[in-house]
């Protein structure tokens, strides 16, 4: 077992004990305590903001040439890569995710820093088309101080997706991780520190969302907030941002439809549907939680899906063959169970799961079995709201028009999966669905070079891709006179 972080916070480049509320990180597979720490208070936050402001305004950060700043991003990428095992173990302890998954997340975080370093070095500013006697250009500059607020479900990956482009842009970054998973972000701080960034450019401030999170949004020196989390919290932060006229990007919840047409390869579709909902124990914003199966194959498909789901290995995140691990916290498991109970009481058919597994090895953990529910209408609460657990609702559909209407009849618009061998149909349906990402004959595939984000209540803005750094910069236009003449308007 690796040694857990000591619980100190990274405030303005120094390791300190927080002066806010106590946070206890638990290993949700058995309830044992990983570490207890004191979160950041408002005073800690104010100090971090002051130090960030001073550090960001120094030429040693702000005026670095792109290739010089990129070196820091490469050093962070190398640091993550050299510590994948440690990061993966910490995140598994903190979240209950399988070691296999957390190693992939750590490796992708390293790739994210490397990608944004390379993008930084290779991005050009614009010489705009000349329309008069001036040389005209458009350049990009850092915004200043960026607050990044992240959730608990994939902390190292969400942290990297925000911190890497915001640093690349030349900002100082104040990272506020979830109170349920503070440890891996603090580990990221150790790596950033080893990469030699100027003190104050990066702080990690776990603590109460309301208190420290609120300060890091409200404070007048904060120039942008990038948030990933629930729609409810995101909406409240958007209102605050509007009052300050501050840009905010929001990566929020989802209730993603997955559509299986009768002409799909059924075996491949069943495996893809299960991965889409049950991997990460369903605690994924893009979980394919609403399944629509064409009526002609509905009965056969559901029967085979249930049979395969019952075979999934539910167990400790340390077992290499575990497919469905514990949930993040007993409280969250109870909220997932309450959704299923509600559907049951409203007459839904629970075809498998619908309870915690029995057996001594599950007793102390926050486990819940992969659950498949039928006989529900698309307007039922379990079909409308994000459950954020291993719970799939299945509904039949008749034709393209019917499934497009049902899939879009939801307040979210994050992702969609389409299973078919008819590619013109996949194109038509994919373009008609309100979603930021559409997967065809695959699901939950990611690439840092491909933008990600949601429509409707799933968010505002895009992360990743070639515009990722520009989202953390402001654009400035410059006009240089080419004539040397005085302006004809006034004779001197
Ligand atoms: P959450 O409750 O909204 O919390 C997210 C973050 O916001 C946490 O760090 C939280 O801190 C902080 N926070 C809470 N109240 C705040 C306030 N008033 N001011 C500032 N910060 C505040 O969400 P969660 O339960 O951690 O995460 C699950 C949600 O994230 C799901 O809805 C999921 O779909 C969404 N998600 C979306 C994406 C995406 O890319 N679209 C990716 C992953 C997850 P505390 O922990 O201290 O409360």
């Amino acid at each position: 077992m690796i040694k857990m972080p000591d619980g100190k916070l990274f405030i303005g480049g120094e390791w300190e004990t927080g002066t806010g509320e106590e946070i206890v990180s638990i290993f949700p597979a058995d309830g044992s305590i990983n570490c207890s720490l004191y979160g950041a208070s408002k005073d800690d936050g104010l100090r971090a903001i002051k130090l960030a402001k001073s550090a960001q305004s120094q030429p040693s950060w702000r005026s670095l040439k792109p290739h010089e700043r990129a070196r820091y991003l490469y050093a962070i990428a190398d640091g993550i890569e050299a510590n994948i095992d440690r990061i993966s173990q910490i995140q598994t302890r903190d979240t209950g995710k399988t070691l296999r998954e957390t190693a992939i997340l750590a490796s992708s975080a390293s790739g994210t820093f490397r990608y944004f370093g390379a993008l930084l070095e290779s991005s050009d500013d614009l010489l705009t088309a000349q329309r008069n006697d001036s040389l005209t250009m458009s350049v990009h500059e850092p915004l200043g101080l960026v607050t990044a607020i992240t959730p608990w479900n994939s902390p190292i990956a969400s942290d990297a997706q925000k911190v890497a482009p915001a640093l690349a842009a030349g900002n100082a970054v104040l990272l506020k991780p979830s109170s349920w998973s503070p440890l891996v972000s603090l580990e990221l701080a150790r790596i950033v520190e080893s990469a030699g960034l100027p003190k104050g450019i990066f702080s990690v401030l776990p603590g109460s969302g309301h208190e420290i999170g609120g300060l890091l949004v409200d404070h007048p020196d904060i120039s942008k907030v990038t948030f990933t989390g629930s729609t409810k919290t995101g909406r409240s932060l958007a209102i605050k941002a509007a009052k300050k006229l501050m840009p905010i990007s929001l990566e929020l919840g989802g209730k993603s439809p997955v559509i299986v047409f009768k002409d799909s390869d059924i075996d491949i579709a069943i495996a893809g549907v299960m991965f889409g909902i049950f991997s990460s124990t369903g605690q994924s914003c893009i979980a394919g939680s609403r399944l629509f199966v064409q009526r002609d194959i509905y009965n056969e498909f559901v029967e085979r899906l249930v049979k395969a789901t019952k075979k999934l290995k539910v167990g400790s995140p340390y077992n290499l063959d575990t497919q469905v691990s514990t949930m993040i916290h007993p409280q969250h498991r109870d909220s997932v169970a309450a959704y299923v109970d509600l559907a049951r009481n409203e007459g839904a058919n629970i075809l498998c799961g619908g309870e915690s597994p029995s057996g001594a090895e599950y007793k102390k953990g926050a486990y819940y079995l992969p659950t498949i529910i039928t006989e529900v209408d698309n307007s039922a609460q379990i079909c409308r709201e994000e459950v954020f657990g291993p719970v799939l609702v299945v509904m039949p559909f008749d034709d393209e028009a019917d499934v497009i209407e049902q899939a879009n009849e939801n307040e979210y618009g994050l992702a969609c999966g389409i299973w078919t061998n008819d590619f013109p149909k996949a194109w038509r349906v994919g373009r008609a669905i309100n979603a930021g990402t559409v997967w065809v004959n695959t699901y939950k595939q990611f690439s840092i070079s491909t933008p990600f984000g949601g429509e409707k209540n799933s968010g505002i803005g895009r992360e990743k891709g070639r515009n990722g750094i520009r989202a953390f910069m402001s654009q400035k236009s410059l006009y240089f006179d080419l004539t040397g003449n005085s302006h004809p308007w006034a004779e001197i």
Side-chain angles (χ1 to χ4, degrees):
M1 167 97 71
I2 51 139
K3 192 168 170 283
M4 283 289 126
D6 62 10
K8 295 241 168 79
L9 313 189
F10 193 57
I11 305 177
E14 300 291 344
W15 290 96
E16 296 177 25
T17 301
T19 57
E21 287 170 16
E22 188 180 20
I23 297 175
V24 180
S25 155
I26 62 155
F27 180 42
D30 63 13
S32 58
I33 292 177
N34 297 322
C35 149
S36 139
L37 55 92
Y38 288 93
S41 65
K42 277 200 169 164
D43 283 347
D44 297 328
L46 286 169
R47 227 157 13 91
I49 290 171
K50 196 171 167 198
L51 291 164
K53 191 175 176 187
S54 158
Q56 199 274 333
S57 64
Q58 303 300 316
S60 56
W61 184 248
R62 196 184 163 88
S63 307
L64 286 178
K65 307 281 180 300
H67 68 282
E68 292 167 340
R69 197 177 303 117
R71 275 190 218 129
Y72 289 106
L73 282 106
Y74 297 140
I76 298 170
D78 290 344
I80 295 175
E81 206 167 296
N83 285 283
I84 282 183
D85 187 42
R86 178 169 169 75
I87 293 170
S88 157
Q89 295 215 34
I90 290 175
Q91 187 157 331
T92 288
R93 294 290 305 183
D94 219 7
T95 62
K97 277 178 176 290
T98 62
L99 271 182
R100 211 166 40 170
E101 186 181 351
T102 53
I104 292 169
L105 289 171
S107 166
S108 92
S110 165
T112 299
F113 277 93
R114 210 174 295 290
Y115 173 83
F116 282 114
L119 186 61
L120 173 62
E121 294 208 52
S122 56
S123 293
D124 297 321
D125 275 321
L126 259 188
L127 198 62
T128 55
Q130 200 180 334
R131 305 273 300 186
N132 50 35
D133 288 336
S134 298
L135 180 74
T136 47
M137 60 181 79
S138 173
V139 298
H140 292 83
E141 298 184 342
L143 289 167
L145 269 55
V146 170
T147 290
I149 302 180
T150 52
W152 46 260
N153 64 320
S154 304
I156 188 72
S158 358
D159 291 359
Q161 253 168 252
K162 297 179 181 311
V163 173
L167 287 178
N171 300 291
V173 180
L174 300 132
L175 172 64
K176 204 309 263 170
S178 163
S179 299
W180 275 354
S181 60
L183 300 186
V184 86
S185 307
L186 291 167
E187 197 56 24
L188 177 63
R190 290 203 182 278
I191 289 164
V192 172
E193 183 186 34
S194 304
L197 270 79
K199 273 188 194 309
I201 287 298
F202 184 57
S203 287
V204 178
L205 305 163
S208 140
H210 189 67
E211 189 181 346
I212 184 70
L215 172 79
L216 294 176
V217 175
D218 293 335
H219 196 282
D221 287 340
I222 302 297
S223 311
K224 169 159 181 164
V225 170
T226 167
F227 172 82
T228 298
S230 66
T231 299
K232 184 169 171 240
T233 310
R235 196 187 301 282
S236 75
L237 302 192
I239 292 168
K240 289 176 169 213
K243 284 192 179 146
K244 275 175 74 180
L245 292 182
M246 171 183 71
I248 182 164
S249 66
L250 302 167
E251 299 284 353
L252 308 176
K255 189 76 189 177
S256 299
V258 174
I259 300 165
V260 179
F261 284 101
K262 64 182 175 187
D263 60 29
S264 62
D265 184 318
I266 303 291
D267 288 350
I268 294 178
I270 289 175
V273 165
M274 290 198 301
F275 177 69
I277 179 66
F278 299 128
S279 59
S280 315
T281 320
Q283 302 167 114
S284 164
C285 54
I286 45 165
S289 51
R290 279 187 304 150
L291 174 64
F292 296 97
V293 182
Q294 199 152 20
R295 205 176 293 278
D296 317 50
I297 58 163
Y298 180 83
N299 288 336
E300 182 205 342
F301 191 93
V302 172
E303 193 183 315
R304 291 187 56 195
L305 176 67
V306 170
K307 205 168 154 197
T309 299
K310 285 181 175 167
K311 285 195 214 149
L312 288 173
K313 294 236 159 39
V314 179
S316 161
Y318 286 123
N319 293 344
L320 285 181
D321 62 352
T322 290
Q323 288 160 301
V324 180
S325 180
T326 169
M327 308 202 71
I328 176 82
H329 200 282
Q331 255 176 41
H332 185 57
R333 189 260 327 270
D334 294 348
S335 111
V336 169
Y339 267 110
V340 176
D341 291 344
L342 181 83
R344 189 186 274 123
N345 293 339
E346 286 177 348
N349 209 359
I350 316 288
L351 297 182
C352 60
E355 59 186 353
S356 294
S358 52
E361 70 270 39
Y362 304 114
K363 220 170 175 162
K364 291 183 184 162
Y367 290 95
Y368 198 77
L369 286 171
T371 299
I372 297 178
I373 300 178
T374 57
E375 306 302 322
V376 280
D377 185 84
N378 196 25
S379 61
Q381 195 169 349
I382 194 126
C383 299
R384 279 187 287 115
E385 295 180 13
E386 184 183 45
V387 174
F388 219 56
V391 178
L392 178 69
V393 289
V394 195
M395 289 163 282
F397 72 90
D398 292 314
D399 55 26
E400 247 176 92
D402 175 29
V403 79
I404 290 169
E405 190 181 331
Q406 292 199 63
N408 282 342
E409 204 176 42
N410 190 274
E411 66 179 57
Y412 294 108
L414 194 58
C416 169
I418 299 171
W419 299 88
T420 178
N421 280 318
D422 177 343
F423 286 90
K425 182 162 67 186
W427 172 260
R428 283 191 304 273
V429 176
R431 298 300 297 251
I433 299 289
N434 303 132
T437 298
V438 173
W439 286 286
V440 177
N441 292 337
T442 184
Y443 204 82
K444 250 181 150 182
Q445 297 299 304
F446 276 123
S447 143
I448 185 64
S449 60
T450 309
F452 178 77
E455 295 183 8
K456 303 198 281 189
N457 281 356
S458 292
I460 300 173
R462 294 288 179 269
E463 289 186 342
K464 314 204 277 191
R466 294 200 69 82
N467 290 325
I469 298 178
R470 295 279 154 90
F472 293 96
M473 302 187 96
S474 89
Q475 208 165 359
K476 180 176 282 176
S477 299
L478 294 164
Y479 290 70
F480 284 81
D481 174 65
L482 295 174
T483 66
N485 298 333
S486 72
H487 201 283
W489 186 75
E491 275 185 31
I492 308 291

